[in-house]
Amino acid sequence: MERRKMLTMLGLSPALVAGYPAYARTAVKAVPDSSSGDGLITVLNPGIPNKLATRYPLAPPLDNLEDKTIYMINLSWEGPDAGNYFYGAMREWLAQRYPGIKTSLKVTADGMFGLDPAILKEMTANKADGAIVGVAG
Amino acid sequence: MQLRIPAIGVSSANVVHYGLDYDFKYSNGMPVRYVAVPFPFTGQPKAVDVGYVTGKDVLSGQPLMTAVIKALTDPLTAEEKISGAPEGQASDTRLLPSDTDENLRRLFEDKGWTDYNWVKLPTEKLVTEMVNGTSRKPGEVIKSIDITGGSRQLTVEKVAIAAVMAGASPDHFPLILALATQAPFGNSTSSMANMIVINGPIRKRLNFNCGTNALGPYNRSNAVVGRAFTIVSKIVGDLRNNVNAWESLGSNLQYNNLCFAENEENLPEGWDPLHVQMGFKPNDDVVSVGIGWTSVSSVGGSQSLYPTHFLIRDYMRSLSASGSAATILMDPTVAALLKDTHGFKTKAQLAEWFSQNVEKTAGSYWGNGVIQSTAVPFALQGLEPYASWKKLPDDTLIKPFTNPGAIRVVVTGGKVQTTWFVTDFGLRRGLKVDDWA
């Protein structure tokens, strides 16, 4: 007996066997199909597989935050205000606990999806030690 | 530019989950360390955003600042040191395992390949017939998705599969291929929607409706072409709810994408069809696509006691004016009124009048989140008029539609009533259908 037909008669979905496990939830109901004669249909796959991205490692972490220069980058998600409030409070919190820390708050001039070369240039010139980027949502 | 310094991300939980999973796997490739605040972050009182700093990291449950410090200082894990080509790339399977109609439909729905209305299953015979509607080869890549949102290639055959599912005919296929180059459709956390306008002789050849009920469910071509754009967008965009589609409210307009044709035969003399305004020839078959959010109806017909263009102007104040974009849809009777009674000899003249006469307060303009995201960067760069507008008191009136060329006027409808819509859709330059025949 043809394998697909046998699976159907057993109440199994051939799609299950091929790796689509959700389709064994109900017994297969045969649907007349003049082209195949066995109630099964062959269709093209609409899905397009995602290509996995090339991996990039993280930069080495800091030993601690003492005397470090930390940039806070405000992506201006729906405007800069919320990010500025948040980062402002974060700067105060860090200044109280790390007296030697230097923090700099920057709002990107290229919007939430753009790079801002001027900020990157400034971070290089000022030997930035770390960055906090956000805040979306 | 690589600085090789630790950089961590802080965002609300929904964005972070996307960043840690989908974005990392398919777009970014870097296992960025994130700290998460509750959602929503923007639009909250200042005290709420400030309070997040002394609150908890939504991901780890630790105090947020403890999580920030750990993210900047914890040693790297083995996973965080990986570089190079990833293993386990999925391969494309052209044919699905044979199955019953019922099971295949369930599979299509669970994979998010449909709009959850009834689809025609894409058998090889039907897809081959659809592909025969163009001279393009089935394997030709017409679009690559390679920015945020994953990495996928859209071929002619995948578009044909979507066209079959939507119920289209091979005659529709060149038009759907042209449309597919604009896929995936506009989609954001806002309730973004899309508009499709058909111009040229193809309107008659494929029997598009540009008369009575042009925007309603009364015509096959309007229905299946608009729907095909939804299905192909969902497939190539891998748009699945809470995976890669995050519209908070969503938009019912995404079922059909406001697909209609312009009533070119009933334009007043001097009023060019949309595609001719864009520089195409009258006999070119053209499809124009744009994104937007909002449609405001005149509700009733025009009244002689208040000029129609005054009321359109008034209603346009409610639009965000993002990108200076607006598309005004009007019945041929409204176009005739504006031409014959109010003296607008061309669409361009009318658009110029709106650009000069629609006013809203600076506070209302900047109070819109999309304007904040798109126009504040211009202001920060010193670009005018945004830099000056940013300094204005909230109650100062500005003219936000700075570019009359971005205000489109499209005439459609059946001359039953003098009705119109103002919308904030920004139509991009059209696409010639013949390029995809």
Side-chain angles (χ1 to χ4, degrees), chain A residues 10-77:
Chain A
L10 292 171
L12 290 173
S13 160
L16 163 70
V17 181
Y20 294 95
Y23 306 96
R25 290 195 303 234
T26 59
V28 171
K29 189 173 101 183
V31 175
D33 181 343
S34 57
S35 62
S36 65
D38 58 2
L40 301 182
I41 305 167
T42 304
V43 301
L44 270 66
N45 181 4
I48 307 172
N50 261 308
K51 188 180 169 196
L52 293 170
T54 300
R55 292 291 300 272
Y56 295 95
L58 292 185
L62 303 174
D63 296 333
N64 56 64
L65 298 188
E66 297 292 348
D67 302 321
K68 298 295 193 299
T69 299
I70 305 294
Y71 271 73
M72 297 174 179
I73 311 298
N74 183 348
L75 294 176
S76 202
W77 181 284

Side-chain angles (χ1 to χ4, degrees), chain B residues 274-302:
Chain B
L274 175 68
H275 68 310
V276 174
Q277 283 192 295
M278 291 174 170
F280 294 99
K281 295 173 185 160
N283 282 334
D284 287 338
D285 294 325
V286 175
V287 56
S288 305
V289 185
I291 61 167
W293 293 262
T294 301
S295 172
V296 185
S297 167
S298 65
V299 183
S302 296

